[in-house]
Amino acid sequence: MRLIFAGTPEFARVALAQLQAADFEIALVLTQPDRPAGRGLKLQPSAVKQQALTHGLPLAQPRSLRLDGRYPEDAQAARAAIEAAQADAMVVAAYGLLLPQWVLDTMAAPSSTGQPRWGCLNIHASLLPRWRGAAPIHRAIEAGDAHTGITIMQMDAGLDTGASLLVRALPIAPADSTASLHDKLAQLGSDLIVQALQQLPSGTLLAVPQPLEGVTYAQKVDKQEAWIDWALPAPQIVRRILAFNPAPGASSNLQGEALKIWQAQALPGVPPTGLPFGSILAAGHAGIEVAAMNSIVNITQLQRPGGKRLAAVEFLRGFALAPGSAFGVGGVDAAGGAP
């Protein structure tokens, strides 16, 4: 089976590598243009581009696929490449560009030899219709979901509204961050897309319309969301810390520094009455205990600006806490200054 693969980050690269390992023929790879990254803001290729270059796969990086959009010349070139590929199906995983109707129509129409095609299949990191949209892993952790999973979806013109072909659930462990859950889902998604493509020609794979109930949307994470509000209950704060690890990273100000908080846990008990939210209750080998709404957050890993991620006990060796120290609420430090 000849495939076009459209994807950009590491989640997609894992799927592309698995398709290659399963001996699918990759006729074309679509990925987003190189983006500036790092301190020097040098242009960096996507994970999918690096995979394609390493294995000599045909590659295109259109800025848009909209024929009537800002970059019509890119879209026209992509259209020519897609038509020339004569692929049996397109696999999409975290591509980052919307597929316009002409792409869906092209991949649904018979090939030039009259052979039927299988359309566009999406690897989506949630149990649709829950968490349609851009950040399903983040939002599942933030919401405290017990399970997430992978849906292999037949794409249509809507936002993650297509019929489900294969679905597999995955439990979310209490300590799962977006980083750890991403890796589990990337592997599950790569396994599942291979299964789906192997089953398609037999006609045993049924397209099941998504239910109308239970629809939620995973909005893209805004950096301002990552500022910790210590007036929230500890379990909610901890879920947000885990959800925003590794990006954008939960943050809070302490003694004039904007610290990244990477790992934490909710402790039993309540803080003493009268203390402001964000007050540090204890600090030692087990972590930094912080007062939240009727609860206590224990920070176990954090990072100073320009520094490394450190366990709390190591962090405290180089960071002297002043008496009565308190983390800021939201993006304002305890002394009232903005970040």
Side-chain angles (χ1 to χ4, degrees), residues 1-338:
M1 184 183 290
R2 285 172 61 85
L3 300 176
I4 296 171
F5 185 87
T8 298
E10 177 64 16
F11 181 89
R13 187 207 65 79
V14 174
L16 176 57
Q18 190 84 330
L19 291 169
Q20 291 178 272
D23 291 328
F24 287 96
E25 183 181 357
I26 308 300
L28 176 66
V29 173
L30 299 172
T31 192
Q32 287 210 43
D34 298 359
R35 304 293 189 198
R39 293 185 179 180
L41 294 180
K42 295 182 179 179
L43 290 177
Q44 298 292 329
S46 71
V48 164
K49 179 178 179 178
Q50 294 178 56
Q51 179 77 13
L53 292 177
T54 298
H55 294 271
L57 302 176
L59 179 71
Q61 295 179 268
R63 290 168 290 181
S64 171
L65 294 173
R66 288 185 53 187
L67 297 170
D68 59 349
R70 187 177 177 185
Y71 304 105
E73 66 282 2
D74 283 30
Q76 290 285 5
R79 185 173 193 170
I82 289 170
E83 291 175 348
Q86 288 297 302
D88 301 301
M90 178 185 288
V91 173
V92 182
Y95 181 30
L97 293 182
L98 293 176
L99 298 190
Q101 190 63 46
W102 72 260
V103 177
L104 301 175
D105 292 342
T106 298
M107 296 311 302
S111 69
S112 60
T113 62
Q115 294 297 314
R117 293 199 258 202
W118 308 109
C120 299
L121 281 63
N122 180 246
I123 309 171
H124 188 77
S126 82
L127 301 174
L128 292 170
R130 185 158 179 80
W131 301 128
R132 295 173 178 172
I137 303 177
H138 299 78
R139 299 307 184 188
I141 293 175
E142 183 185 15
D145 290 0
H147 292 82
T148 185
I150 291 289
T151 302
I152 304 299
M153 178 190 68
Q154 189 83 57
M155 297 181 72
D156 61 15
L159 177 62
D160 299 329
T161 56
S164 300
L165 298 173
L166 280 180
V167 180
R168 292 289 185 277
L170 181 74
I172 300 177
D176 264 332
S177 64
T178 289
S180 64
L181 193 56
H182 166 281
D183 293 349
K184 296 177 187 179
L185 288 168
Q187 187 58 56
L188 179 59
S190 67
D191 293 340
L192 219 56
I193 190 61
V194 169
Q195 293 179 37
L197 292 168
Q198 289 172 340
Q199 292 179 43
L200 273 175
S202 69
T204 59
L205 202 60
L206 298 179
V208 180
Q210 292 183 36
L212 300 178
E213 302 78 23
V215 175
T216 57
Y217 288 92
Q219 300 294 334
K220 184 178 180 180
V221 176
D222 188 282
K223 288 184 178 181
Q224 287 303 314
E225 294 182 73
W227 288 104
I228 297 173
D229 183 354
W230 298 102
L232 297 173
Q236 187 174 349
I237 292 172
V238 170
R239 290 198 303 268
R240 300 192 88 190
I241 289 170
L242 295 173
F244 301 148
N245 177 357
S251 301
S252 190
N253 285 307
L254 179 64
Q255 296 177 189
E257 294 191 36
L259 306 180
K260 294 283 189 181
I261 314 297
W262 295 114
Q263 294 287 342
Q265 56 194 194
L267 296 182
V270 297
T273 57
L275 284 179
F277 300 129
S279 296
I280 294 176
L281 307 175
H285 183 79
I288 301 172
E289 298 181 13
V290 186
M293 178 185 287
N294 299 320
S295 53
I296 299 170
V297 175
N298 186 46
I299 299 170
T300 55
Q301 187 186 73
L302 63 170
Q303 179 182 13
R304 297 178 78 169
K308 298 180 180 180
R309 295 190 187 197
L310 296 173
V313 64
E314 298 178 72
F315 174 86
L316 291 169
R317 293 192 186 110
F319 192 98
L321 290 175
S325 293
F327 283 96
V329 174
V332 179
D333 65 26

